[in-house]
Amino acid sequence: MSSVVYAQCGDEAEALERRFLELLPVIQGIVSFLARRYYLHGCDLEDFSSDVFVKLIEDDYAVLRKFRRSSSVKTYLTVTIARLLIDRTNREWGRWRPSAEARRNGRVAVLLEKLVVRDSYTFEEACETLMTNHHVSLSRVELERLFGRLPARSRRRFESLDTLTDLPASTGQPDSAIVCRDGRTAAARLISLLSEAMRSLPAQERLILKMRFEDGLTIAAIAAALRLDSRKLYSRIERLHARLRTALMSRGIGVDDVDLFLAHGEAD
Amino acid sequence: MIRLPAGTCTDAERLAQYADGRLEHPDCAEVETHLERCSACRDVLMAVTAFAQRERGRISSSAVDSHRYEEAIASLAPGERTVLLARYEHVLGFEEIARTLGMDTHGARALFASAVMKLRVRLARH
């Protein structure tokens, strides 16, 4: 490598380091915003901040070097840092996902559900953890009310063979297995028809339905993320709902089943 | 249009472009197709949107939706708009902005101050 190239490399490295230092307050702002959003405190927050700095500095500031300036640098850094945090959360929380109702009720509800459903804490223990470790300022009564709104979910866990042998059948009456199997077949058919109906929709409409019915996001939140007018979005979702309803009914699904299924999708 | 290999996430800058509203069809539709299938990228998009809303709120001291914010920015004089975006979106120093626009640092600072003031007044009017 010639001395000119060395000099250029040195210049680039210096320029990137200068840029990193300029962006440091922005990076710190993003880290603390995301930490609040995902309830990171103490050691977890320190670990996450270190991960962020390592990621941004490693490979001679590769993250900054790859930036083509086609978006705002703040948005680019927020995407990069949010991805780090979400990967970390997924690693720690596993494949468990909060219910739509918990997401609708905000991050305290998600955290409460995580503690009770995923980590098998009692409600009392969960309240204590929320107040002590996560600095949640809601009163016990408010937390109780919040907990009451969450759907009843059970957690999968390993049990010994002896426990399983003595466990009563969860299916109840002997013929309930057949009823249940019929119900599952009907639900599977409904889901397959719904997927087929959704495939015919444009990408943005499928995304809107996913955000509304699967992620349980509010119309205002979807409108902000997709840069749409929230009033128009409301009627657009109504139209999409009606369209799916018609598509399912035209394939022989009864009106009650369709309404029950779509209403369930909206609730959770 | 860059096609995404199956199973890979949209690259960070492309998702940032989408969040900033800077992607046109069909690139926009491709990102939306990916978002529909990838809950992790949807979570990232929601976090980015929330952060952008907070940043806009810092300028106007109240929550502002992206439409209103962009309208207010578009109504600024071209020089003010350039300096404001260079400072807020690209986080550039006044020396660099001045060098790029061929003016002195004092002029860049003055344009920025006037842009922020106008933006605040216009957003407060809503």
Side-chain angles (χ1 to χ4, degrees):
Chain A
M1 196 185 276
S2 73
S3 56
V4 176
V5 178
Y6 268 122
Q8 280 173 350
C9 288
D11 285 351
E12 196 197 5
E14 267 176 39
L16 286 167
E17 191 176 341
R18 247 196 335 270
R19 187 75 181 123
F20 174 74
L21 293 174
E22 266 173 11
L23 291 169
L24 209 49
V26 175
I27 295 164
Q28 280 162 339
I30 297 170
V31 169
S32 36
F33 172 79
L34 291 174
R36 272 197 305 278
R37 191 174 163 86
Y38 288 85
Y39 283 95
L40 282 189
H41 293 282
C43 298
D44 285 342
L45 176 56
E46 279 171 29
D47 284 352
F48 174 60
S49 301
S50 313
D51 285 353
V52 169
F53 291 124
V54 168
K55 173 76 182 168
L56 296 178
I57 292 169
E58 76 183 358
D59 194 12
D60 294 328
Y61 303 96
V63 170
L64 295 180
R65 200 159 13 93
K66 284 180 196 159
F67 181 53
R68 305 181 299 272
R69 292 197 177 197
S70 61
S71 70
S72 126
V73 72
K74 275 187 193 173
T75 315
Y76 173 66
L77 287 171
T78 316
V79 170
T80 307
I81 299 171
R83 272 203 172 146
L84 274 180
L85 181 55
I86 287 164
D87 284 350
R88 183 192 164 95
T89 312
N90 287 344
R91 263 198 320 274
E92 284 172 4
W93 290 19
R95 288 167 61 84
W96 180 83
R97 302 254 304 155
S99 66
E101 194 55 40
R103 281 163 164 249
R104 241 193 300 276
N105 280 287
R107 280 175 291 284
V108 177
V110 170
L111 214 51
L112 181 59
E113 191 181 58
K114 176 190 155 234
L115 292 170
V116 175
V117 178
R118 198 205 66 166
D119 302 340
S120 300
Y121 281 43
T122 63
F123 176 70
E124 297 300 327
E125 288 166 343
C127 287
E128 194 61 41
T129 309
L130 286 175
M131 288 167 185
T132 317
N133 297 355
H134 300 279
H135 311 287
V136 169
S137 55
L138 295 183
S139 69
R140 202 191 167 288
V141 177
E142 284 169 316
L143 286 171
E144 216 165 76
R145 207 173 300 139
L146 194 60
F147 188 61
R149 276 187 236 137
L150 301 177
R153 297 169 93 194
S154 58
R155 178 179 180 261
R156 287 183 183 182
R157 58 181 186 271
F158 289 103
E159 289 288 2
S160 72
L161 210 55
D162 292 342
T163 316
L164 293 177
T165 314
D166 297 336
L167 202 68
S170 59
T171 47
Q173 298 299 315
D175 62 349
S176 65
I178 300 166
V179 176
C180 185
R181 193 186 58 207
D182 288 348
R184 275 205 299 268
T185 313
R189 183 165 172 256
L190 210 58
I191 290 167
S192 136
L193 289 174
L194 189 65
S195 311
E196 199 182 302
M198 277 182 69
R199 266 201 297 276
S200 65
L201 298 173
Q204 193 180 63
E205 312 224 304
R206 291 199 307 268
L207 176 60
I208 291 170
L209 289 174
K210 199 94 171 187
M211 292 170 103
R212 179 76 182 132
F213 296 108
E214 193 175 305
D215 299 343
L217 296 171
T218 62
I219 291 179
I222 302 172
L226 305 186
R227 298 175 159 257
L228 301 169
D229 183 313
S230 52
R231 277 165 302 179
K232 285 182 188 161
L233 180 61
Y234 185 79
S235 47
R236 197 168 158 190
I237 289 177
E238 293 278 292
R239 278 200 304 277
L240 282 169
H241 205 279
R243 196 169 151 182
L244 289 178
R245 194 170 180 266
T246 313
L248 290 176
M249 282 166 65
S250 72
R251 302 296 298 270
I253 307 287
V255 62
D256 291 344
D257 288 342
V258 171
D259 285 344
L260 196 68
F261 187 73
L262 292 176
H264 175 76
E266 191 152 13
D268 189 359
Chain B
M1 177 173 153
I2 309 159
R3 288 229 155 264
L4 293 171
T8 35
C9 281
T10 313
D11 92 281
E13 190 158 350
R14 204 168 160 79
L15 188 56
Q17 269 181 287
Y18 179 81
D20 280 347
R22 293 188 191 174
L23 275 187
E24 297 291 330
H25 189 77
D27 296 318
C28 201
E30 178 152 346
V31 173
E32 283 168 348
T33 304
H34 174 73
L35 284 169
E36 185 222 331
R37 291 175 192 152
C38 180
S39 61
C41 282
R42 288 204 301 277
D43 282 347
V44 171
L45 178 67
M46 296 318 294
V48 170
T49 308
F51 183 70
Q53 279 176 326
R54 194 201 66 161
E55 291 290 287
R56 286 197 292 270
R58 276 184 162 184
I59 300 174
S60 68
S61 76
S62 63
V64 181
D65 69 42
S66 53
H67 282 297
R68 271 198 249 158
Y69 181 73
E70 273 152 27
E71 267 173 28
I73 289 210
S75 68
L76 296 172
E80 290 170 337
R81 195 164 54 231
T82 311
V83 174
L84 189 89
L85 295 181
R87 187 86 185 120
Y88 271 150
E89 293 202 353
H90 296 291
V91 198
L92 296 176
F94 284 114
E95 291 78 11
E96 195 175 346
I97 297 172
R99 208 170 38 246
T100 315
L101 297 180
M103 57 171 64
D104 61 23
T105 314
H106 181 72
R109 278 182 194 278
L111 268 180
F112 176 72
S114 119
V116 169
M117 201 183 296
K118 282 184 187 171
L119 198 63
R120 282 194 175 143
V121 170
R122 275 162 210 180
L123 289 172
R125 238 183 254 155
H126 287 288

